[in-house]
């Protein structure tokens, strides 16, 4: 269907710029192959008159959600062990669960549920951590691709400060990663590998250097964690007293922006780090649910935006328990209000049009032209049928109010149809 | 069915004390009329052998949720206007919506949805603000009673600093309130009136004095708002420079604990106020969703508990957008973690067993013996069928883990059956 036209009709909403919401009521979206060609209000040009229109009536049509950071193998741990901070939580809950992914059958069982869950909640693109296990991670990519979802997926690297059952040798870790990249980089259209050092404490300098070499050799992007928890930051400082800051460790080993790079959390970065992040085009995966659950703190999103650091939203399953990126939007707004109070009302809190951008184009831009309905963007979309949202009778709502109600009150039951790169995708 | 026995079987979980979770697997709850008589593990005494057991299999049986503070007439505003702080939000969104409740037909339309929504989310007891309108407020009580839910409902009083369309004269406000109390106090078994001055800024001293007299005359409890927002607190100070603090205004007019009293929010109270609250047995309705949405701050729940102030959870519809008290539990835990960070880790954050107590017995005790399964407690319960919770295959969970997963991940779809005061209640 590469050059085929499709036309959809509905109430179209998207955010071409941070905070700028476009609302096009009763409009037609013309899609050519995978991409948005144009949007027309009220009537279609003559040249499209022969194409059948899929009319979604009064439904909303919005970009699909992008989740910039989640740990697929922690899916079965959601909602458990949340009375811990990061480091004990990793030891007691996360690592024992991840060890199970050596078992391919267990991996497939849970990964099928993970993929179905992203579909369910309207997440059309994901950036995922797997485990150290190559086979399970390839399976995850295969399932995502089969479902028609887009994503970057990483085989995790860990060669120090990790439990025996998750510890790799440096050599094996690098060899497995190279094999993983070779095996997957051209295998799927929308699912690609990403280099994934777990975080500085779990990776030796040799490993980090080797991964940087692989990233460059194969032009593969990079993801890791940065400045999530004060205990973690102290640990990094004690491991790398030679570095000015946490970001500097990734930087000195070539993992901080030479390839497109996502850093999850970024709660406690100082100004020098933020300047380096901006300079190196680092993406911040903002994970407000996780940061609350693990008592990590509130990321300074407004400051990142002001400093020209790119930000997207993320679930961080299972530090975060909610797969829904709509709920991540709400939480991002809520914690930004607490941050605003903390700053004596200096750093304005996020608005819904701003959070909507982060949830769509903000994270989507990591994938290229994704997350918007501007011309040339890959058509990832959700059709929102809010007719059954409680409280919707007795009163009229504007399209913008309906969008707000879906974001605040809706769930998977209100997502009627999902598209990824121009293709309607069915429940996996 | 007053003295009839019922026996239910399942995995029983409740919190007889703050933070102490009782988990009784595969147990029998014997209910005599409205009340819990006893719980038996594994086998029933001979004397009950003739009674048919309703076997809920592996389902969880937990106390119904209690919502200590919500504004029923703001239901249609959920998720809207949340880019404001309290005072402008009241003017721009809340007051215009509440004015519509002069129209009985509109009131009935929305109040039917409100009652259905409490049912849906497993809230079995509620403490509600209506509007200034007597007729609409009586309708709300009638609908709650018809649904079998328990509650206190207040006709709101406002005779100053309010828009013309919601302003009462002092005399009319008192006369309507007395009539409202007389009309409703003996009308329903589980639904009762409550005196409801909106908050200090909207009530003259004469009105507050008159309401205190009515509360005493009819032995009716009292609810209002306290110390939600710094702008509101400044306003109260300017209106009542003679009072040491906000609580002191209610105190001086006889509305601070002479009858059982709930104060919503209580975010910014000083130590003197907290001591007075403890002394006067004030209940705090903790509304974490609302306090985030309106950028009000984080209530010092740990400090209240330590100071022997009673606390329950609340949705504060529509400052809060979530009706679910399970989600309020999660949010209470999350914001307590941010508070813990703010206190340099001095004030421990809330755990799930603690939040579960607040959501059930904590608020329930305002209704008497409600919110627990100890002997003599009115049997309000939810039967939780978590078999369809995603991620539940592939791995076994303990009963406690299943409860955590329901609280963090579940929704109305996992609530199979609801009981209030011994009676199974069906969808309204």
């Amino acid at each position: 269907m590469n050059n085929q036209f499709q036309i959809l009709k509905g109430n179209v909403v998207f955010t071409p710029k941070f905070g700028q919401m476009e609302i096009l009521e009763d409009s037609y979206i013309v899609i050519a192959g995978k991409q948005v060609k144009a949007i027309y209000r009220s009537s279609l040009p003559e040249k499209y008159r022969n194409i059948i229109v899929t009319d979604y009536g009064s439904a909303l049509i919005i970009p699909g959600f992008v989740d910039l950071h989640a740990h697929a193998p922690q899916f079965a741990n959601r909602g458990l062990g949340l009375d811990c901070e990061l480091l004990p939580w990793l030891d007691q809950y996360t690592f024992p669960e991840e060890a199970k992914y050596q078992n391919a059958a267990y991996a497939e069982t849970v990964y099928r549920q993970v993929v179905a869950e992203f579909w369910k909640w309207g997440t059309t693109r994901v950036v995922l951590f797997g485990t150290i296990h190559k086979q399970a991670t390839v399976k995850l990519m295969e399932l995502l691709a089969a479902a028609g979802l887009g994503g970057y997926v990483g085989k995790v690297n860990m060669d120090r400060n990790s439990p025996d059952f998750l510890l790799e040798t440096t050599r094996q870790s690098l060899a497995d990663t190279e094999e993983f990249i070779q095996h997957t980089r051209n295998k799927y259209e929308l699912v690609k590998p990403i280099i994934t050092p777990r975080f500085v404490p779990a990776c030796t300098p040799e490993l980090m250097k080797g991964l940087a070499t692989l990233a460059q050799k194969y032009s593969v992007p990079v993801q890791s964690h940065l400045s999530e928890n004060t205990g973690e930051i102290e640990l990094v400082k004690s491991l790398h007293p030679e570095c000015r800051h946490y970001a500097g460790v990734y930087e000195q080993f070539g993992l901080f922006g030479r390839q497109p790079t996502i850093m999850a959390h970024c709660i406690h970065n100082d100004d020098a780090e933020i300047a380096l992040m901006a300079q190196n085009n680092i993406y911040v995966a903002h994970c407000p649910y996780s940061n609350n659950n693990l008592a990590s703190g509130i990321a300074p999103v407004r400051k990142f935006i002001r400093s020209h650091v790119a930000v997207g939203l993320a679930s961080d399953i299972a530090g975060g328990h909610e797969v829904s990126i709509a709920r991540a939007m709400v939480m991002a707004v809520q914690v930004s209000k607490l941050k605003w109070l903390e700053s004596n009302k200096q750093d304005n809190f996020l608005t819904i049009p701003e959070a909507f951008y982060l949830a769509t184009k903000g994270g989507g831009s990591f994938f290229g032209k994704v997350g918007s309905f501007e011309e040339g963007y890959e058509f990832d979309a959700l059709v929102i049928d809010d007719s059954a949202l409680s409280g919707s009778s007795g009163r009229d709502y504007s399209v913008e109010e309906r969008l707000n109600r879906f974001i605040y009150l809706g769930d998977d039951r209100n997502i009627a149809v999902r598209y990824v790169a121009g293709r309607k995708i069915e429940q996996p």
Side-chain angles (χ1 to χ4, degrees), chain A:
Chain A
M1 63 169 214
N2 250 348
N3 294 306
Q4 233 173 331
F5 284 106
Q6 293 181 76
I7 302 179
L8 314 184
K9 183 162 186 270
N11 290 300
V12 177
V13 187
F14 62 104
T15 43
K17 289 188 181 158
F18 181 68
Q20 180 198 319
M21 192 173 270
E22 292 281 339
I23 299 177
L24 305 169
E25 297 188 26
D26 289 324
S27 293
Y28 299 86
I29 306 186
V30 179
I31 300 143
K34 295 195 290 186
Q35 296 169 347
V36 175
K37 178 80 184 158
I39 303 180
Y40 298 96
R41 304 186 77 149
S42 60
S43 79
L44 271 176
E46 191 55 40
K47 58 181 173 181
Y48 297 124
R49 291 285 162 84
N50 290 330
I51 298 169
I52 292 170
V53 173
T54 304
D55 189 345
Y56 288 116
S58 68
L60 310 179
I61 303 176
I62 65 174
F65 293 129
V66 179
D67 186 341
L68 271 195
H69 179 74
H71 293 261
Q74 297 175 20
F75 184 72
N77 267 354
R78 288 178 307 148
L80 304 184
L82 295 174
D83 295 339
C84 297
E85 276 189 276
L86 175 66
L87 299 178
W89 177 78
L90 286 172
D91 286 335
Q92 290 168 43
Y93 292 89
T94 307
F95 292 152
E97 180 66 16
E98 289 194 12
K100 297 182 190 168
Y101 285 74
Q102 194 169 10
N103 177 333
Y106 183 76
E108 181 165 350
T109 300
V110 184
Y111 282 160
R112 280 191 185 281
Q113 297 173 49
V114 173
V115 169
E117 200 76 3
F118 286 127
W119 179 91
K120 176 175 157 181
W121 292 99
T123 300
T124 48
R125 308 265 178 165
V126 289
V127 183
L128 300 179
F129 273 54
T131 55
I132 61 167
H133 311 97
K134 205 174 47 183
Q135 193 190 349
T137 309
V138 171
K139 174 55 77 177
L140 174 58
M141 295 177 79
E142 181 188 316
L143 293 168
L144 277 174
L149 296 169
Y152 287 103
V153 179
K155 174 227 158 318
V156 173
N157 305 95
M158 305 166 72
D159 73 342
R160 68 170 169 181
N161 296 317
S162 302
D164 287 349
F165 52 82
L166 280 182
L167 193 67
E168 308 169 291
T169 63
T170 309
R171 177 195 301 263
Q172 192 65 49
S173 187
L174 290 170
D176 280 358
T177 302
E178 184 154 20
E179 205 180 299
F180 167 75
I181 294 170
Q182 288 172 336
H183 181 67
T184 58
R185 67 188 171 132
N186 296 317
K187 200 167 177 191
Y188 314 106
E189 194 190 338
L190 298 177
V191 182
K192 300 289 176 188
I194 183 168
I195 295 279
T196 307
R198 182 166 209 122
F199 65 159
V200 166
C203 300
T204 60
E206 293 64 37
L207 179 58
M208 288 191 270
K209 276 185 247 168
L211 291 173
T213 304
L214 289 176
Q216 187 163 16
K217 179 172 176 186
Y218 295 101
S219 285
V220 175
V222 172
Q223 65 177 343
S224 196
H225 297 96
L226 179 63
S227 290
E228 176 175 5
N229 172 286
T230 51
E232 169 211 17
I233 295 166
E234 287 307 309
L235 177 57
V236 170
K237 195 176 281 179
S238 73
L239 290 166
H240 294 279
E242 79 282 7
C243 288
R244 297 174 293 164
H245 44 51
Y246 195 159
V249 184
Y250 293 120
E251 165 86 348
Q252 81 168 333
F253 298 119
L255 288 169
F256 207 66
R258 292 201 196 159
Q259 305 298 324
T261 298
I262 297 172
M263 289 284 154
H265 308 302
C266 304
I267 298 172
H268 307 283
N269 302 99
D270 65 23
D271 288 348
E273 272 179 302
I274 293 175
L276 184 64
M277 292 162 77
Q279 190 185 317
N280 290 8
N281 300 312
I282 301 299
Y283 273 72
V284 171
H286 175 44
C287 313
Y289 266 98
S290 171
N291 299 342
N292 284 350
N293 282 340
L294 297 175
S296 305
I298 303 174
V301 173
R302 177 66 62 191
K303 194 169 181 183
F304 288 132
I305 302 288
R306 208 168 46 222
S307 309
H308 307 288
V309 174
V311 181
L313 293 184
S315 66
D316 190 28
I317 300 302
H321 57 278
E322 290 284 3
V323 171
S324 165
I325 292 297
R327 293 206 183 129
M329 286 176 57
V330 171
M331 187 62 85
V333 168
Q334 290 188 325
V335 296
S336 78
K337 288 171 176 172
L338 298 174
K339 196 81 181 165
W340 174 72
L341 288 177
E342 198 185 293
S343 75
N344 287 315
K345 309 193 179 180
Q346 294 306 299
D347 283 341
N348 282 345
F349 54 73
L350 296 175
T351 63
I352 284 293
E354 290 175 340
F356 194 75
Y357 175 90
L358 300 182
T360 54
K361 192 173 173 179
S365 61
F366 191 78
F367 291 83
K369 289 194 162 187
V370 167
S372 181
F373 294 150
E374 294 153 83
E375 187 180 346
Y377 271 70
E378 294 186 45
F379 185 69
D380 289 13
L382 308 177
V383 177
I384 306 300
D385 176 358
D386 57 346
S387 56
L389 254 189
S390 58
S392 50
S393 68
R395 159 165 172 177
D396 288 331
Y397 295 100
S398 68
V399 168
E400 184 171 3
E401 287 176 331
R402 287 172 55 202
L403 179 71
N404 277 315
R405 282 169 50 81
F406 165 68
I407 292 166
Y408 275 97
L409 312 175
D411 62 26
D412 57 297
R413 289 171 280 197
N414 309 113
I415 306 178
V417 184
R418 293 117 176 118
Y419 289 84
V420 181
R423 195 158 77 86
K424 188 168 163 179
I425 58 168
E426 303 298 337
Q427 182 159 20

